[in-house]
Amino acid sequence: MPGAPSLWRDRDFRSLWAGQAASQFGERTTQVVLPLIAVLALEADATRLGVLRAVEQAPVLLLSLFVGAWVDRRRSRDVMMAADLGRALALAVVLGSYLLGVLGMPTLVVAAFFVGVLSVFFDVAYQTSLVRLVRPDQLALGNSALEGSRSAAQTGGPALGGALAALVSAPFAAAAGAFFFALSFLSIRRIRRREPIPGHVGRPARVRHRIHEGLRLVFGHPVLRAVCLASAAFQFFFAAMMTVYLLFLPRGLHLSATAVGLALAAMGPGAVAGSLLSARLPKRYGYGVVLVLSAALGDGVLLCVPALRGSGPGTVLALVGVNFLFGAFSQLVNVTMMSVRQAVTPVPVQGRVVATVNCVGMGLAPLGSLLGGRLADQWGLRTALLVAVVGLSLSPLCMAFSPLARLGKGLVDTADTAPA
């Protein structure tokens, strides 16, 4: 569209981006702060801590499909604002209960679940909102900006949560999460563009029927099916790999806690770099080429890790380099895949498609973690890590033998029609 204003000059997009960034920092900070409250303030044992973390993660598996169907019939701005306000209030309850001396594990578990549920609503809604706010040719840039802030939050949020817990105690650090959610609420509220609710003909379909339509669309569409299968393969083996990886660094390479943290933190800056590249490379070399090569290179660089020995500076530097490159290539794939998915998905079912892809991928992650632990017990850390990394190659293979590999430098926008 010649002469169209820059995306960054669009006040509504800037408000969405700022709100999403604040929300992501709040979410990532809270994911660290709530377990620290359990350990430091409530002296929870490993079993209770495990239950708390499982409750935090459960809403993604339990609710994603239902949330996707529900969000498709709501204004995403309203959904995001309600999610922000609810999460801020939940953390305020945690802090208030602590100050009153009545905070216990049941309250913390309920708050964690509530925050997790509302985070599912927000995450589906903000991705749906982007499609409704910007033009199709601006999706890559918009996704790059949103994924860049999400990547920054993945690194900065946990670090901020840990630092605040050390400085002001874990319960008071919960106020930081509430602050970020309140900031997100105020930013999202500034979006003024009237967002139409996707229309429907006749009586609205039941939720189960709309979920079925989302599943049918994803698995019946060649490109969306490839996106879903490649994402599922990656999530499964990535969960297995990370389970072994977190054991391999301290026990296989005998690295200190500081060295482990430094190595893992390198994924964050790498992800930010990948987000920046995603706005340019697909349009220059083609979406298919970027997807397949980036996935293959990102997974391939991890093959260096099982070959490392010792805990010296060279090993740490090598891990930092590997994790940076893996973060960059993985994020490049993630943002590019998101742009493809949004471009081929009709607007009325964006939420259902997001939820379906997320649910299938995240649904396999717990099984991948169990496989990683089993392999480590049976075959040893180094062999198990190698097997898991090799398994990651299934994701680029799924792309290479699918319509994704044939995508060119432009994405064709779909008509604004779909099952209601």
Side-chain angles (χ1 to χ4, degrees):
M1 186 179 296
S6 167
L7 184 57
W8 287 108
R9 294 180 182 176
D10 186 330
R11 171 179 168 171
D12 288 335
F13 173 75
R14 294 199 309 270
S15 297
L16 172 64
W17 173 77
Q20 180 260 3
S23 175
Q24 292 296 315
F25 267 94
E27 183 179 341
R28 301 300 176 180
T29 300
T30 301
Q31 287 176 351
V32 171
V33 167
L34 292 183
L36 287 177
I37 292 174
V39 173
L40 301 177
L42 303 181
E43 299 181 351
D45 56 22
T47 300
R48 291 184 178 182
L49 182 61
V51 169
L52 176 65
R53 291 186 57 81
V55 166
E56 283 184 297
Q57 299 165 347
V60 176
L61 304 178
L62 298 176
L63 300 175
S64 290
L65 292 176
F66 294 95
V67 171
W70 190 84
V71 167
D72 275 336
R73 291 194 173 277
R74 301 295 187 276
R75 291 190 173 92
S76 54
R77 172 183 179 270
D78 297 340
V79 175
M80 290 185 286
M81 289 172 60
D84 283 330
L85 184 60
R87 290 182 292 182
L89 291 175
L91 294 178
V93 168
V94 170
L95 179 56
S97 299
Y98 174 76
L99 293 175
L100 294 174
V102 295
L103 179 62
M105 280 300 297
T107 301
L108 200 60
V109 167
V110 171
F113 182 75
F114 192 65
V115 170
V117 168
L118 293 179
S119 293
V120 173
F121 277 89
F122 187 97
D123 290 344
V124 172
Y126 90 72
Q127 295 183 53
T128 303
S129 179
L130 179 66
V131 181
R132 298 175 184 176
L133 284 178
V134 307
R135 303 190 314 269
D137 62 303
Q138 295 176 317
L139 282 176
L141 179 58
N143 281 321
S144 177
L146 294 176
E147 287 300 301
S149 59
R150 187 175 71 89
S151 300
Q154 284 180 322
T155 302
L160 177 61
L164 289 174
L167 292 173
V168 300
S169 83
F172 286 98
F179 169 78
F180 279 120
F181 291 136
L183 192 62
S184 177
F185 173 87
L186 294 174
S187 182
I188 298 297
R189 188 181 180 184
R190 296 180 70 246
I191 298 176
R192 296 304 182 197
R193 191 171 305 165
R194 188 68 175 173
E195 179 185 337
I197 300 177
H200 60 273
V201 178
R203 185 178 179 181
R206 294 177 180 269
V207 171
R208 284 189 297 177
H209 180 61
R210 297 202 301 271
I211 291 174
H212 179 263
E213 287 176 339
L215 289 167
R216 185 176 60 189
L217 178 61
V218 169
F219 289 100
H221 193 296
V223 173
L224 291 177
R225 181 170 62 245
V227 168
C228 192
L229 293 177
S231 299
F234 176 82
Q235 293 292 346
F236 179 81
F237 283 103
F238 181 72
M241 187 273 294
M242 285 303 296
T243 299
V244 184
Y245 196 35
L246 293 175
L247 293 170
F248 179 72
L249 295 183
R251 297 181 185 177
L253 298 179
H254 306 289
L255 298 179
S256 66
T258 301
V260 171
L262 180 63
L264 295 177
M267 290 186 187
V272 173
S275 294
L276 296 175
L277 292 173
S278 67
R280 299 179 179 274
L281 294 186
K283 293 182 178 180
R284 182 172 182 178
Y285 298 106
Y287 283 82
V289 171
V290 169
L291 279 173
V292 176
L293 288 184
S294 297
L297 290 172
D299 299 340
V301 73
L302 289 175
L303 290 172
C304 300
V305 177
L308 295 176
R309 305 277 178 174
S311 57
T315 297
V316 176
L317 287 175
L319 286 170
V320 168
V322 166
N323 287 338
F324 179 88
L325 291 174
F326 175 74
F329 286 122
S330 297
Q331 191 68 351
L332 179 55
V333 172
N334 186 38
V335 179
T336 304
M337 190 89 83
M338 186 179 299
S339 297
V340 171
R341 189 203 69 221
Q342 289 174 337
V344 302
T345 302
V347 172
V349 291
Q350 285 283 343
R352 276 169 278 181
V353 170
V354 170
T356 300
V357 174
N358 288 348
C359 186
V360 172
M362 296 303 296
L364 291 178
L367 298 178
S369 296
L370 292 175
L371 173 65
R374 183 68 174 174
L375 290 177
D377 286 338
Q378 296 294 320
W379 296 350
L381 293 174
R382 198 176 297 273
T383 302
L385 183 59
L386 179 61
V387 171
V389 171
V390 171
L392 281 171
S393 63
L394 284 179
S395 182
L397 283 176
C398 286
M399 299 180 200
F401 292 99
S402 77
L404 288 174
R406 298 190 292 274
L407 293 175
K409 299 179 181 180
L411 295 177
V412 179
D413 183 34
T414 60
D416 189 10
T417 59

